Amino acid sequence: MAAKRKRGALAAGKAKRARSAPSAGEAVPEGGPRERGIPPQEYSIPPPVSQGKWKNKERVLIFSSRGINFRTRHLMQDLRTLMPHSKADTKMDRKDQLFVINEVCEMKNCNKCIFFEAKKKQDLYMWLSNTPQGPSAKFLVQNVHTLAELKMTGNCLRGSRPLLSFDPIFDREPHYALLKELFIQIFSTPQYHPKSQPFVDHVFTFTITDERIWFRNYQIIEEDASLVEIGPRFVLNLIKIFQGSFGGPTLYENPHYQSPNMHRRLVRLSVAAKFREKQQVKEVQKIKKKGTKVLVEEDPTEVVFETPAEEKPVEIQLVKPESKPIVKDKKKLRKIQRKKQKKLFRTEG
């Protein structure tokens, strides 16, 4: 029969092996571990870098739908690199409804979501949502540039916490104030996050220009506190803000928003109008050429200063003129002329 172990035996054995680091007041004996009376397999574990407790457990799920291009894929990977509190998931089928994302976030234990939706293989939409209660915002993403594409000199440590800089307009309008709070909760790395570093070396800026939100990422240089752009960069054109997560009543709709389909349609109409105008100009020119010319009446005063020229008698030459020899040398020409004169004198004599 095997001897029964006591419940506290294993815990007591582990407690004996574990040894805490000596405090500042205690004296550390000199010599190796054997001289100090410590078995060779024992060692002390250094304390963690940050002693704080991770309280703000924000987790962001970053994924996309099927049909995205390489630039969107690189942008998504850059955001995952810059946000250590993010998680990834497989691409979602375009046939699925958007409210399914709430269940995906619940399975991944995430309470925020950044979802990239591709349409027609050329238009990119971004959803920012607070799952599962809401609110959520839908944006059209324009002018996307990734970290590898910009070739910039800035660089930041992976996992470091960013500063968030907002335009003053975010505090004036209510819909911008809501978006500011959503950006803060999604893009800011929680303090004492296990994958984060305990210092700040880059800045996320959100600027409003031309009714759009411009996202930039800058590195803070220690020497003179200047900023160098790192990337990625993109522009968000707000479409709607919904009360729920990926749907629900509309809280705000952007009146300045123009869909990409409408923009492309207007471009085609402008090109067609220019072509139609050129055709009309050509037709008018053809009609002018075919039209009868207007005859101008003769002016009787035009012949006042005209003087008639003298009429010369018409002379008809019946004999063919003699062909002159083409001689380039003048001496030979003179010899020929002399021979002709001699012949004339002989005939006359």
Side-chain angles (χ1 to χ4, degrees), residues 188-223:
S188 62
T189 303
Q191 193 175 11
Y192 304 122
H193 192 276
K195 294 183 180 180
S196 66
Q197 300 294 335
F199 51 84
V200 175
D201 63 349
H202 62 288
V203 185
F204 290 162
T205 62
F206 298 89
T207 311
I208 297 175
T209 307
D210 195 20
E211 303 296 336
R212 291 169 175 82
I213 300 172
W214 300 62
F215 176 86
R216 295 290 184 270
N217 182 21
Y218 297 96
Q219 178 199 0
I220 303 173
I221 300 178
E222 296 180 0
E223 287 78 7

